[in-house]
Amino acid sequence: MLPFADEGEPAHMTAVLTHLFAPLTIRGHQFKNRIFSTGHMTVMLEDGFPSDRMVAYHEARAAGGAGLIIVEAARAHPSGISSRPAILAFDDDCIPGYRRIADACHGHGCKVFGQLTHPGREMSEAADGTFAVAHGPSAVPNERFHVMPREMPLAMIEEIIAGFGAAAGRMRTAGLDGVEIIAAHGYLLSQFLNPRLNHRADIYGGTKGGQRFVREILASVRDAIGEDMVLGMRLSGDEMEHDALEPDEVRAIAVGLANDGLLDYLNLTAGSSAGLAGSVHIVPPMAVEHAYVAPFAAAIKAQVTVPIFVAGRINQPQIAEQVLADGQADMCGMTRAMISDPQMPEKALTGRLDDIRACIACNQACIGHMLRGFPISCIQHPETGRELEFGKLIPADHPRKIVIAGGGPGGMKAAAVAAARGHAVTLYEASRQLGGQANLALLLPGRAEFGGLIANLTREMELAGVEIITNTAIDRALIDRIQPDAVVVATGAQPYTPPLEGSEEAHIVTAWQVLQGEANVGSDVVVADWRSDWIGLGLAEKLIRDGCRVRLAVNGVTPGQMIPQYVRDKWLGDIHRLGVEVIPYARLFGADDDTVYLQHTLSGEPILCEGANTLVLACGHQSNTRLESALASWEGEVHVIGDCLAPRTAEEAILEGLRAGVAV
Ligand SMILES: Cc1cc2nc3c(=O)[nH]c(=O)nc-3n(C[C@H](O)[C@H](O)[C@H](O)COP(=O)(O)O)c2cc1C
Ligand code: SF4
């Protein structure tokens, strides 16, 4: 029997998304639509097993209409344990947690698969923080983590093959519908498949031996799960890294495995953990185009009969529909799309496309948190990952009159939440435009999608019934006149200008002035980047594209030190290609008409940027505290949030907006 049936569309769906909401059956399991959440680590474990928080997280996506959830990568064997928290699927104690996830999601008609992996040499630290003893097919070093692995002994290979089977068996016991094996992203299976990394002399050596290893794992898993569970594999269509698997190699591997009947589906992604460039594509940032993995999926789909899944920057149902309609794939992974809006499938199904809070691929609170070891969330939707706390909005006991001072991201979120709870909310914005600093952030090269955050929050406010008044700054007199029950102060921040020696002779402009087109920038620019965030990188790119010579002097180890790794690394590659000169460890000291004076933050030695005719300050922000001070003697309830509390990022502002909206 072909384990794959493509079925007709249900009658009630939104007319434009006919492919997206056509059910799909694989090995007797019917998926109600073509939207799935790819495996992604949530950092919501308790002692290595799924927690209540993780169950609630996945249930929110199932309730929002996902057709399939693939639970995060789990360790198939103890030799794969690293400092990165992952489900210990080699231990029977994982079963109850998986069962709770399956039960919770099945209740909403959503299928659930488990995902199994082994990092191989992609392992920097052991769980206790010491450097791990990593194993790979051969002793070939890893660039990203600077690891020299040991060649994996034969006995360990046999144990790992058996371990994949045993772990999959636990998933069967837990009631999961399928298992996905990771051969993507440069992890152990990919290492075995790659002849540049697999120099073994035994039966698992070279291309053939590597495929033998993968086939034995798949056979071991199939033995354990029986005939009624789905078995799929994840592959990077292009690992996009030095010495990594190339698209034609991946295609040959995929076609061989699929056409030999070992797999029920193939799941295409991109990138590799082996280096900084390849790892960018594990979770592609906004500078990467939408649905860019689909052509790799399509090339494989043309040669196999099993369904093809694909993911990578498919953030809107219309994009997924196009991928499906073009026949590039059969299921669309929309992972961050549902981290950002768990209700996205349901909204698409019911024609509420304008209400979808599209992911902007900022990578801040999802993979950004995960890589730093914190539970994942979303900057636009801080309720994500906090479902136990904010999963249900509690209606207000008594509607109150709430004033929000400031229409940046934090103020908008506070307004939307307070109004959704039933309060009478008026938001006052001093300028003519909502969005605060997000309006500047979207002007940085490759960051236009950041503006989606403003559009999404504006829509949330509209739906909740917030009254919005622009061009009106709030002061104490206005508060005395309006007499609200509570004020949320979200008045933001302004650029910080540090005291500088000799500055009266220098041509100095701020990052904001450059972005707003209000600065006369000369031909030879030094960008003084104190924060090491998006602004310095973006200004450097913008100005070199405008034809300037650009020196990016960063008070840190590297530009972008403070921002999510994959965003930073993509940008560092881009500015290097463009010829930006980077000066690390540089404290701004002073400037005159043709020199910017820096000091090395470690040696204390001077660094002179001679010939510079413009200094651009990207030196952070200072809170606007005027309204807060004016309300110090006011007797009503005051909440101070976001940058006017302390200048940070949109993430903290929106989270504090949520908290204020719930508290008022
Ligand atoms: C927080 C986070 C953790 C991830 N962990 C995994 C993982 O455990 N296994 C995996 O195959 N991919 C992992 N990924 C990659 C995703 O599965 C997916 O390929 C990626 O997010 C791109 O899809 P999207 O654009 O729909 O988000 C992770 C992604 C995120 C955001
Ligand atoms: S934090 Fe950014 S990238 Fe992550 S889901 Fe939210 S909007 Fe998307």
Side-chain angles (χ1 to χ4, degrees):
M1 179 189 84
L2 193 68
F4 162 40
D6 205 340
E7 290 153 28
E9 65 205 49
H12 55 279
M13 111 208 13
T14 170
V16 284
L17 301 171
T18 50
H19 296 85
L20 194 60
F21 288 101
L24 174 75
T25 300
I26 304 177
R27 210 177 260 276
H29 293 267
Q30 191 187 71
F31 305 89
K32 63 183 173 187
N33 58 43
R34 307 302 180 99
I35 301 169
F36 78 104
S37 174
T38 58
H40 60 284
M41 289 177 154
T42 54
V43 198
M44 296 178 195
L45 298 169
E46 256 168 33
D47 301 328
F49 305 112
S51 62
D52 289 348
R53 183 176 189 160
M54 190 192 284
V55 175
Y57 168 81
H58 286 302
E59 183 171 11
R61 272 117 209 108
L68 163 68
I69 287 174
I70 302 180
V71 179
E72 65 197 72
R75 302 276 180 243
H77 186 264
S79 58
I81 295 180
S82 73
S83 57
R84 199 150 280 173
I87 299 175
L88 307 178
F90 53 79
D91 187 323
D92 284 348
D93 285 349
C94 71
I95 295 171
Y98 275 123
R99 185 175 289 130
R100 283 189 299 136
I101 294 174
D103 290 348
C105 295
H106 286 160
H108 299 279
C110 173
K111 297 285 176 182
V112 180
F113 293 178
Q115 196 185 47
L116 285 172
T117 192
H118 190 298
R121 67 174 186 163
E122 299 304 317
M123 190 195 284
S124 172
E125 289 141 8
D128 66 357
T130 60
F131 290 119
V133 178
H135 288 87
S138 306
V140 180
N142 152 287
E143 207 173 80
R144 179 175 174 200
F145 298 120
H146 307 272
V147 166
M148 175 57 85
R150 285 174 67 86
E151 178 171 308
M152 195 172 267
L154 210 52
M156 188 185 271
I157 291 183
E158 285 160 5
E159 263 189 39
I160 287 173
I161 293 169
F164 269 89
R170 292 180 190 102
M171 293 175 174
R172 178 186 177 83
T173 307
L176 269 55
D177 306 292
V179 177
E180 180 174 277
I181 306 302
I182 297 189
H185 297 152
Y187 296 125
L188 185 66
L189 275 69
S190 151
Q191 292 158 30
F192 267 88
L193 290 168
N194 184 338
R196 268 90 56 206
L197 307 184
N198 180 351
H199 304 155
R200 300 181 70 88
D202 60 17
I203 54 167
Y204 296 108
T207 308
K208 264 198 166 161
Q211 290 208 24
R212 177 190 187 114
F213 177 62
V214 173
R215 283 164 186 262
E216 289 184 9
I217 285 178
L218 294 175
S220 163
V221 170
R222 176 56 75 200
D223 269 358
I225 62 176
E227 290 303 313
D228 53 346
M229 272 175 79
V230 177
L231 172 55
M233 196 168 87
R234 196 160 207 213
L235 272 172
S236 292
D238 186 345
E239 291 192 339
M240 299 184 175
E241 185 49 69
H242 175 68
D243 269 353
L245 286 173
E246 300 286 338
D248 53 345
E249 293 174 306
V250 176
R251 218 163 30 243
I253 293 162
V255 170
L257 294 172
N259 290 345
D260 285 356
L262 290 164
L263 292 167
D264 297 323
Y265 75 90
L266 273 161
N267 182 4
L268 270 294
T269 175
S272 167
S273 166
L276 297 178
S279 55
V280 162
H281 294 278
I282 299 177
V283 189
M286 78 174 70
V288 175
E289 80 185 272
H290 293 283
Y292 74 118
V293 186
F296 298 108
I300 292 174
K301 187 165 163 57
Q303 294 183 52
V304 299
T305 53
V306 297
I308 297 295
F309 294 16
V310 71
R313 287 281 277 135
I314 304 176
N315 73 332
Q316 284 278 33
Q318 299 92 321
I319 297 175
E321 174 69 17
Q322 196 63 52
V323 168
L324 298 167
D326 290 349
Q328 292 178 299
D330 302 286
M331 286 282 277
C332 286
M334 301 185 73
T335 303
R336 283 172 295 169
M338 289 187 282
I339 294 177
S340 172
D341 192 345
Q343 291 284 318
M344 178 274 294
E346 187 55 30
K347 289 177 182 173
L349 180 66
T350 52
R352 291 179 289 145
L353 295 174
D354 289 346
D355 298 352
I356 292 173
R357 186 186 309 106
C359 163
I360 55 173
C362 67
N363 277 1
Q364 282 174 243
C366 51
I367 190 69
H369 278 204
M370 182 249 159
L371 289 174
R372 289 184 290 128
F374 298 106
I376 66 165
S377 185
C378 175
I379 66 162
Q380 299 195 85
H381 190 59
E383 292 89 335
T384 283
R386 300 182 175 96
E387 284 78 9
L388 294 175
E389 194 182 350
F390 296 115
K392 282 202 179 78
L393 216 49
I394 315 272
D397 290 341
H398 314 287
R400 302 168 80 203
K401 193 198 269 190
I402 311 293
V403 160
I404 313 285
M412 288 199 281
K413 182 69 180 179
V417 172
R421 293 183 51 234
H423 292 306
V425 180
T426 308
L427 178 143
Y428 292 83
E429 163 57 35
S431 75
R432 63 184 168 81
Q433 220 179 347
L434 294 172
Q437 285 181 56
N439 288 302
L440 294 168
L442 67 85
L443 296 173
L444 295 169
R447 302 286 293 177
E449 215 169 329
F450 204 79
L453 180 150
I454 304 171
N456 291 333
L457 284 167
T458 304
R459 183 71 183 146
E460 281 175 46
M461 287 199 297
E462 282 167 10
L463 290 171
V466 175
E467 183 189 8
I468 299 166
I469 300 176
T470 52
N471 290 314
T472 307
I474 292 222
D475 56 15
R476 175 63 192 265
L478 189 58
I479 294 295
D480 287 340
R481 207 164 62 241
I482 303 170
Q483 295 192 354
D485 296 304
V487 179
V488 177
V489 182
T491 46
Q494 61 206 325
Y496 172 64
T497 308
L500 292 178
E501 282 189 18
S503 57
E504 51 296 334
E505 293 164 42
H507 179 46
I508 302 176
V509 296
T510 67
W512 286 26
Q513 288 169 325
V514 174
L515 291 172
Q516 285 164 329
E518 292 169 358
N520 180 14
V521 178
S523 56
D524 196 321
V525 182
V526 171
V527 177
D529 179 7
W530 165 74
R531 256 289 290 165
S532 312
D533 66 4
W534 306 267
I535 300 174
L537 279 163
L539 286 171
E541 178 176 349
K542 176 189 157 37
L543 293 171
I544 203 162
R545 285 189 187 281
D546 288 348
C548 307
R549 175 190 180 192
V550 179
R551 281 170 275 188
L552 175 56
V554 59
N555 192 331
V557 177
T558 173
Q561 185 182 330
M562 303 299 290
I563 69 176
Q565 183 185 330
Y566 301 155
V567 179
R568 175 197 71 204
D569 291 341
K570 165 87 175 69
W571 226 334
L572 286 174
D574 291 346
I575 63 163
H576 180 262
R577 212 172 291 118
L578 290 164
V580 171
E581 299 157 57
V582 172
I583 308 172
Y585 306 106
R587 177 182 301 128
L588 180 61
F589 204 78
D592 58 28
D593 58 344
D594 73 345
T595 303
V596 172
Y597 301 89
L598 306 162
Q599 184 182 36
H600 196 279
T601 55
L602 301 177
S603 71
E605 293 295 313
I607 306 169
L608 302 189
C609 293
E610 289 168 342
N613 52 26
T614 307
L615 170 62
V616 180
L617 297 177
C619 293
H621 302 102
Q622 227 171 1
S623 299
N624 291 329
T625 53
R626 211 167 54 197
L627 181 62
E628 182 191 356
S629 305
L631 293 179
S633 58
W634 187 62
E635 292 198 339
E637 183 181 319
V638 177
H639 301 263
V640 182
I641 64 166
D643 271 13
C644 71
L645 178 61
R648 288 152 296 158
T649 75
E651 177 182 357
E652 292 78 24
I654 296 173
L655 173 60
E656 286 160 11
L658 167 64
R659 291 197 173 126
V662 166
V664 290

